[in-house]
Amino acid sequence: MPIFDKDAELMKRGEIRQLQLERLQAIVFRCHKSVSFYRKKFENAALTPDDIQSLDDISRLPFTTKADLRDSYPYGMFAVPLREIVRIHSSSGATGLPTVVGYTRNDLKNWSVLCARIMFAAGVTADDVVQIAFDYGIFTGAFGIHQGAERIGASVIPTSVGNTDRQIKIIQDYKTTALACTPAYALGLAEKMAESGVDPNTTSLKIGLFGGEPWSESTRAKIEDKLFIRAMDNYGISEVLGPGVAGECEARSGLHINEDHFYAEIINPDTLEKLPDGVEGELVLTTLTKEGFPLIRYRTGDITKLNTEKCSCGRELARMSRVFCRADDTIIVRGINIYPARVESLIKTPEGILPEYQIIVENVDSQDQVQLLIEVTEELFLDEMRRLREYHLNLEKTLKASLGLAIKAKLVEPKAIPREGGSIKRIVDRRSNNSC
Ligand code: DLL
């Protein structure tokens, strides 16, 4: 079983927990000293860093939520001065403001090692040619995987997402052996190959590194069948790091969490109670080493469960099960997180009127597509065709510009959207992957 960082990845559980405690105490101390948000929260809970004497004491610390990050936009929760930050990424925010993440030089070094670990565990070596078809924008996906592949010594082709014909030509001509992208994009690529008469069995592809959105075992089987590769899952979240939080090993029986850098807990999202291993709940992560933007007890919104038994690969790092559901109403389409509240803010007319709406996500020909139904009422300038057309046109443009995703907006008659018990279900997700 390939292991990149044997000292760290083959630690015994007792060693892991000891290291986690030392690092937790240090990060709590640093957050208290350098981030007023945490200092205030600790004061309100009548806590000092000295109260953290064991790992179980973490449950005394308050949670951090996406709303907290939004309130401190853009740099309010950084633990170092901006001059020590060497990279800034961000993810889309729940109500309009993105979440901004800063990395110090040391954070970038750790990030590349953590991505190298999950890629190496998935089978990538220095002999591989890794094509990265994640978006090289402000999102964390492409840069994280890129750094990891370089750290391993593989040859990186940063194609970014889109332009599928070119991607296929590069796979063929440059002899790509590993493909990193969202699972949905991999399926789209496979379809395109079939359409263009390219036989995937004749390419050099052998490994797929997929993440950034939920996908199922049946999608894995489909991708493997169509592309003749071994498809491996990896999990990450921008606020906490980006990719590199957890990934599958050859055994493929859960995703090993890089526990020397993250402390993972599972809670009941309603009661906030801590849940034992093996029970599904919301994943809460504490960063143990991050300097620029440390997070304490961050509620990821992702539903999973933990397994701390030793894996057949030799690692004792806890494994999380694949993430299928979210505790909130976020949907992820082609790796892009969509929050209904964000869509709502974009649908509003210039006069501030919010029409009735419904977001429908479907998988058509192996491509995830989003349609937005909007009921046209009298107040939505039904009487003025010109303004209505303008609204429609601007809406699709704004959605694309703000979310980075093409969404088809369809104006429908009043009451055309079905009501269940009098109310409209805001999101209808018809993809088979997403039944929780
Ligand atoms: O998606 C980071 C990433 C990029 C991870 C590339 C892996 C590969 P965000 O845009 O902040 O960051 O989205 C994070 O995506 O909370 C999950 O809901 C979902 N997610 C990420 N990876 C997986 C996965 C990146 N393997 C959100 N399975 C997370 C299921 C995933 N869901």
Side-chain angles (χ1 to χ4, degrees):
M1 293 274 186
I3 299 181
F4 182 76
D5 193 352
K6 289 205 172 64
D7 286 349
E9 293 180 76
L10 289 180
M11 273 192 289
K12 302 275 167 237
R13 279 236 57 79
E15 292 172 313
I16 296 169
R17 288 182 65 80
Q18 179 56 36
L19 182 65
Q20 284 186 316
L21 175 59
E22 287 163 21
R23 291 185 165 174
L24 177 68
Q25 287 172 323
I27 206 104
V28 166
F29 182 81
R30 218 151 37 74
C31 284
H32 182 264
K33 181 164 161 268
S34 314
V35 186
S36 65
F37 164 83
Y38 286 115
R39 200 161 42 248
K40 276 188 212 134
K41 277 215 155 181
F42 292 179
E43 274 166 20
N44 290 344
L47 279 172
T48 69
D50 290 336
D51 290 320
I52 305 303
Q53 292 299 322
S54 72
L55 278 178
D56 288 340
D57 286 335
I58 196 169
S59 57
R60 301 174 64 185
L61 297 171
F63 292 104
T64 306
T65 63
K66 207 167 185 77
D68 293 324
L69 308 196
R70 191 190 64 223
D71 292 345
S72 65
Y73 177 85
Y75 300 143
M77 282 171 72
F78 283 11
V80 298
L82 205 51
R83 61 185 304 276
E84 287 177 36
I85 296 287
V86 296
R87 174 89 66 77
I88 293 170
H89 282 282
S90 78
S91 70
S92 48
T95 58
L97 287 177
T99 310
V100 184
V101 193
Y103 303 78
T104 63
R105 207 174 288 284
N106 206 29
D107 290 335
L108 285 190
K109 192 195 97 214
N110 284 336
W111 190 13
S112 70
V113 170
L114 297 184
C115 283
R117 283 189 196 173
I118 55 141
M119 296 176 77
F120 200 74
V124 175
T125 69
D127 295 328
D128 277 297
V129 177
V130 184
Q131 186 162 328
I132 300 177
F134 277 116
D135 181 25
Y136 271 82
I138 202 159
F139 292 104
T140 51
F143 280 88
I145 298 288
H146 184 123
Q147 296 155 177
E150 284 186 348
R151 167 83 43 168
I152 289 174
S155 315
V156 178
I157 314 177
T159 49
S160 196
V161 73
N163 202 341
T164 310
D165 289 324
R166 193 187 61 169
Q167 302 268 7
I168 295 171
K169 182 149 176 53
I170 290 176
I171 290 175
Q172 291 177 294
D173 294 354
Y174 299 8
K175 311 224 176 314
T176 304
T177 57
L179 173 70
C181 58
T182 61
Y185 192 67
L187 270 180
L189 206 118
E191 295 283 323
K192 193 77 193 200
M193 275 190 178
E195 260 173 52
S196 342
V198 175
D199 177 2
N201 209 8
T202 61
T203 71
S204 310
L205 274 184
K206 58 182 171 65
I207 304 170
L209 300 151
F210 303 127
E213 65 184 6
W215 56 307
S216 60
E217 278 304 323
S218 73
T219 303
R220 164 143 56 200
K222 231 190 250 173
I223 295 177
E224 293 192 333
D225 191 46
K226 287 177 187 244
L227 284 179
F228 298 94
I229 56 172
R230 195 159 159 82
M232 306 293 284
D233 192 10
N234 73 87
Y235 166 90
I237 170 165
S238 303
E239 297 91 299
V240 171
L241 180 77
V245 175
E248 282 181 321
C249 65
E250 281 292 292
R252 302 212 293 199
S253 59
L255 289 76
H256 286 285
I257 299 174
N258 280 316
E259 283 190 288
D260 47 337
H261 292 261
F262 307 101
Y263 184 76
E265 300 169 85
I266 301 290
I267 60 162
N268 176 323
D270 300 319
T271 62
L272 306 183
E273 244 179 301
K274 192 175 160 110
L275 297 173
D277 286 357
V279 178
E280 249 184 21
E282 181 179 348
L283 176 68
V284 173
L285 291 171
T286 297
T287 66
L288 297 175
T289 50
K290 269 175 75 190
E291 294 175 343
F293 184 56
L295 279 176
I296 292 180
R297 302 196 89 199
Y298 184 65
R299 291 187 59 182
T300 64
D302 292 318
I303 303 293
T304 183
K305 59 185 175 193
L306 296 182
N307 175 359
T308 48
E309 280 164 24
K310 186 173 177 173
C311 178
S312 60
C313 71
R315 290 178 184 83
E316 295 190 24
L317 295 171
R319 281 167 282 168
M320 58 186 268
S321 62
R322 293 173 84 112
V323 171
F324 288 116
C325 317
R326 294 209 27 107
D328 58 21
D329 52 6
T330 308
I331 44 169
I332 305 185
V333 180
R334 296 186 224 151
I336 296 174
N337 305 0
I338 302 179
Y339 306 91
R342 175 84 178 112
V343 175
E344 225 167 70
S345 72
L346 300 171
I347 295 175
K348 271 200 185 131
T349 67
E351 294 77 22
I353 297 164
L354 177 66
E356 291 295 358
Y357 74 94
Q358 185 172 61
I359 301 165
I360 300 176
V361 192
E362 283 174 303
N363 190 276
V364 184
D365 298 333
S366 299
Q367 280 279 0
D368 286 349
Q369 291 183 359
V370 189
Q371 193 182 45
L372 174 67
L373 303 182
I374 293 186
E375 284 187 359
V376 179
T377 54
E378 238 166 75
E379 46 181 1
L380 202 70
F381 18 85
L382 187 63
D383 46 340
E384 284 186 54
M385 274 318 285
R386 184 186 55 79
R387 286 183 65 204
L388 190 59
R389 258 202 308 271
E390 231 169 62
Y391 168 77
H392 188 196
L393 223 111
N394 282 340
L395 181 60
E396 287 191 341
K397 271 195 207 147
T398 316
L399 289 167
K400 173 90 175 88
S402 309
L403 305 175
L405 188 74
I407 294 185
K408 244 192 157 19
K410 188 171 169 194
L411 304 180
V412 296
E413 300 274 306
K415 307 277 179 225
I417 303 175
R419 268 71 171 163
E420 285 169 30
S423 62
I424 292 177
K425 201 167 168 216
R426 292 298 173 201
I427 299 176
V428 179
D429 196 339
R430 298 193 180 131
R431 296 171 296 179
S432 52
N433 277 354
N434 289 272
S435 45
C436 293

